[in-house]
Amino acid sequence: MDTIDLEVDALRDWLERGRPVTVLDIRSPVQREEWSIPGSVAVDAQTAMRASDPSSIGGISVPAGQPIVAVCAQGKSSVLAVRAMRENGIDAVSLKGGMQAWSLAWNVAYVELPGSVAQIIQVRRTGKGCLSYIVGSEGEAAVMDASVDPAIYLRIAEERDLVIRYVLDTHVHADHLSRSRTLADRCSAEIFLPEQDRVTYPFQALRDGESITAGAIEIQALHTPGHTLESTCFLVDGRALLTGDTLFPGAVGRPDLAASAEQARKRAHLLYATLRRIAALDPDIRILPGHASEPIPFDGKACGGRLGDVLKEVEMLRATEDAFVETLLSRIPQTPPNHLEIVRLNERGEFPGVDPTELEAGANRCAIS
Ligand SMILES: [Fe+2]
């Protein structure tokens, strides 16, 4: 390899196609704990720099005959590591932009929904944990919670002979910039949002119980306040529930973002009622959440679970309402960096001149378990 840098898209493509590659993560253990590339190997960077044995870097055996990609936080020290490795006869490249650039990397999984004609494609932002969906039937599709470049949804839809007619968000996001408005503009789709007065651009409001139709399937809105006041879940063909940040396998949404302590307490009570309502649905419904708390492997396996199983994993739900609220409020994680600015831009629906990877830095912290 002549060039020292490898673009994020190229590594993403290699991993998606299952091409053998060794990804060497040269960051500190603390940085690695926050987020990492699936299948990557942690190495001691200092030892890697001094490596003189091509078969081993930092004491780790590196498979022969496959590319080595070094990754750091922003793609600077990985260039130095690659130079040192090359001087020692080890061919390697550096991931351009490092983990910050990797935050935009994505992969897909097809959701099996027995007995339904709905096609559901889970588009996973593996570099950050955001999950979005393309829901299609008979040539028409809706996209929910778009979080990657609109061109990606357009390409996936086209590959499956789907035309994106609708773009929806489950709520006003605080941890990533919504690409929904831009996507809707790109494909002249209608944009539907939960009824609220926060978003300032034109949209069609979806109220509790209202639905839209894509091909042969109905997508019904269930108003599920708690994570935010407008939070809404989408029931697809009566068989899958896209829960946004309301319910995750083993966890529930946080009630505190862009809220005072008093508002967070009120939202926690609302979340309890919401979760009781969801718990009364058919336990065989497939829960498809809006986020994953771990890097998402290139394994084609959809994140989510059967409602009955998901509920069993949420211990807090077996508590009384007051105990649920107290437990929830006592376990609030650190707030995502820049969340107030992200909310402001999402209410506006566009972010010209903003580098999303800078503003969206850091792991998702939406769930409380
Ligand atoms: Fe959220």
Side-chain angles (χ1 to χ4, degrees):
M1 291 178 234
D2 295 332
T3 52
I4 209 154
D5 279 329
L6 183 74
E7 298 282 346
V8 160
D9 273 353
L11 178 59
R12 192 211 79 76
D13 192 54
W14 289 0
L15 293 173
E16 184 164 73
R17 286 189 286 124
R19 176 175 172 176
V21 54
T22 302
V23 179
L24 294 181
D25 187 339
I26 65 166
R27 296 173 302 154
S28 71
V30 174
Q31 288 174 304
R32 185 173 164 79
E33 210 171 281
E34 171 104 330
W35 210 257
S36 60
I37 298 178
S40 59
V41 180
V43 293
D44 176 339
Q46 296 307 313
T47 310
M49 301 271 198
R50 291 192 300 267
S52 56
D53 175 5
S55 65
S56 156
I57 296 173
I60 293 171
S61 290
V62 176
Q66 64 184 47
I68 295 171
V69 181
V71 57
C72 67
Q74 292 185 313
K76 290 174 187 154
S77 41
S78 54
V79 168
L80 301 179
V82 165
R83 284 202 185 113
M85 282 188 267
R86 287 183 174 188
E87 277 168 19
N88 287 291
I90 302 169
D91 198 7
V93 286
S94 157
L95 183 66
K96 191 175 180 183
M99 287 305 289
Q100 184 174 317
W102 181 255
S103 91
L104 292 174
W106 55 277
N107 60 38
V108 296
Y110 299 97
V111 179
E112 298 294 332
L113 209 56
S116 173
V117 293
Q119 296 171 273
I120 304 184
I121 302 149
Q122 189 176 59
V123 181
R124 302 100 67 84
R125 195 166 155 191
T126 172
K128 189 166 165 62
C130 310
L131 304 176
S132 52
Y133 297 88
I134 301 174
V135 175
S137 161
E138 296 184 352
E140 290 192 333
V143 174
M144 285 85 158
D145 287 337
S147 63
V148 294
D149 189 326
I152 294 163
Y153 301 101
L154 293 169
R155 191 169 90 207
I156 296 170
E158 193 181 353
E159 282 166 4
R160 300 181 73 82
D161 293 324
L162 295 169
V163 173
I164 299 170
R165 299 264 186 239
Y166 312 108
V167 173
L168 298 82
D169 271 342
T170 52
H171 63 290
V172 179
H173 294 278
D175 43 29
H176 69 263
L177 293 163
S178 170
R179 274 68 168 180
S180 291
R181 188 182 183 191
T182 321
L183 173 62
D185 283 350
R186 284 279 299 275
C187 57
S188 303
E190 291 180 78
I191 184 154
F192 285 88
L193 301 177
E195 186 180 31
Q196 34 73 37
D197 58 7
R198 299 174 60 189
V199 166
T200 54
Y201 59 89
F203 66 92
Q204 302 200 53
L206 269 178
R207 295 166 197 86
D208 187 51
E210 291 182 343
S211 56
I212 57 173
T213 303
I217 56 165
E218 190 180 65
I219 299 166
Q220 189 185 27
L222 300 183
H223 182 217
T224 51
H227 172 60
T228 64
L229 292 179
E230 79 283 355
S231 280
T232 293
C233 294
F234 299 124
L235 184 62
V236 175
D237 202 23
R239 288 182 171 84
L241 189 67
L242 275 60
T243 52
D245 290 348
T246 295
L247 175 64
F248 308 90
V252 301
R254 62 188 297 168
D256 63 300
L257 292 177
S260 66
E262 195 185 329
Q263 288 167 333
R265 181 168 287 275
K266 187 183 159 209
R267 287 194 208 169
H269 280 282
L270 288 170
L271 184 61
Y272 183 82
T274 279
L275 294 168
R276 285 276 155 241
R277 183 181 178 202
I278 292 175
L281 299 173
D282 180 347
D284 284 330
I285 282 175
R286 184 79 189 262
I287 295 298
L288 297 170
H291 285 107
S293 53
E294 301 284 334
I296 305 152
F298 287 71
D299 59 1
K301 290 184 189 157
C303 304
R306 190 182 155 268
L307 174 62
D309 298 334
V310 165
L311 291 171
K312 267 186 222 156
E313 288 172 42
V314 184
E315 206 182 303
M316 271 187 280
L317 276 180
R318 289 190 280 282
T320 62
E321 180 171 345
D322 285 345
F324 170 86
V325 168
E326 294 313 322
T327 307
L328 193 68
L329 295 177
S330 71
R331 293 182 184 174
I332 302 266
Q334 219 182 334
T335 48
N338 311 320
H339 70 283
L340 293 175
E341 177 64 0
I342 291 173
V343 166
R344 192 183 71 79
L345 291 171
N346 282 340
E347 287 171 350
R348 203 169 78 184
E350 53 189 1
F351 42 95
V354 170
D355 175 357
T357 65
E358 268 183 31
L359 207 59
E360 296 172 324
N364 279 307
R365 296 193 196 95
C366 304
I368 299 179
S369 55

